Amino acid sequence: MKLELTSIVALIAALSCVMASSSPRPFGITRTTTSNNILSIRGGAVHESSTLGDLDSKIQDAALQNKLTIIDFTAQWCGPCKAIAPVYKELSEEFGSSAQFIKVDVDDNPEAAQKFGVSAMPTFVFIKGGEVVDRLMGANAARLKELIAEWSL
């Protein structure tokens, strides 16, 4: 199983490099825009943020409410991002009362990715009181849930 996962990660990395070289955007492929900026999930919500100003505003609002903010830096072309997305939605339902869940597509909002030093996807950034308190690189669902539980107290 480990060899298979390693092969998949290598393939994704190779594909992203090829696709990035054919596009002027910093992270590669142009994302198809959706008309809905909030994905409602039974009691929780994953908010999409397409500008740095919008993201900063959401972070400030959560800080004023003493809520944890979790930002999922993702991309349409990222296989592991697609794999962890349903888990992230479920966690928004479970922890929605004490945490804010935001999804940032690095192709749509490269300024946010740069500001938070994101170089691999998925990367989850945890913000409490307006400050970055932790980060998780990769699609590790168990660790993601542990960090959310830890920081949302």
Side-chain angles (χ1 to χ4, degrees):
M1 180 66 177
K2 190 172 188 176
L3 179 60
E4 292 172 357
L5 181 58
T6 304
S7 299
I8 291 170
V9 170
L11 179 60
I12 291 168
L15 286 173
S16 66
C17 289
V18 169
M19 297 180 129
S21 66
S22 65
S23 173
R25 296 184 65 145
F27 287 98
I29 299 171
T30 303
R31 177 176 175 236
T32 308
T33 56
T34 60
S35 60
N36 186 2
N37 287 336
I38 298 178
L39 306 172
S40 294
I41 300 106
R42 295 177 267 145
V46 177
H47 303 272
E48 292 186 1
S49 184
S50 58
T51 67
L52 183 56
D54 177 61
L55 180 61
D56 287 339
S57 175
K58 284 178 169 59
I59 292 169
Q60 279 186 332
D61 290 345
L64 292 172
Q65 298 172 30
N66 199 30
K67 280 184 148 185
L68 172 67
T69 297
I70 306 104
I71 307 170
D72 173 11
F73 286 94
T74 186
Q76 289 262 331
W77 45 264
C78 171
C81 299
K82 290 178 182 179
I84 196 79
V87 174
Y88 191 63
K89 289 178 186 179
E90 288 174 15
L91 292 170
S92 79
E93 180 180 325
E94 185 176 343
F95 294 96
S97 62
S98 59
Q100 170 180 233
F101 291 76
I102 301 173
K103 185 174 289 269
V104 173
D105 186 307
V106 296
D107 289 324
D108 289 344
N109 195 347
E111 296 85 10
Q114 182 178 9
K115 176 180 178 176
F116 289 97
V118 173
S119 59
M121 276 70 68
T123 294
F124 298 90
V125 176
F126 298 80
I127 301 171
K128 186 89 177 207
E131 300 293 324
V132 174
V133 293
D134 217 330
R135 68 176 47 232
L136 172 66
M137 290 176 60
N140 184 336
R143 184 67 180 140
L144 178 61
K145 184 173 183 173
E146 287 173 7
L147 288 171
I148 293 169
E150 176 184 338
W151 289 109
S152 64
L153 297 175

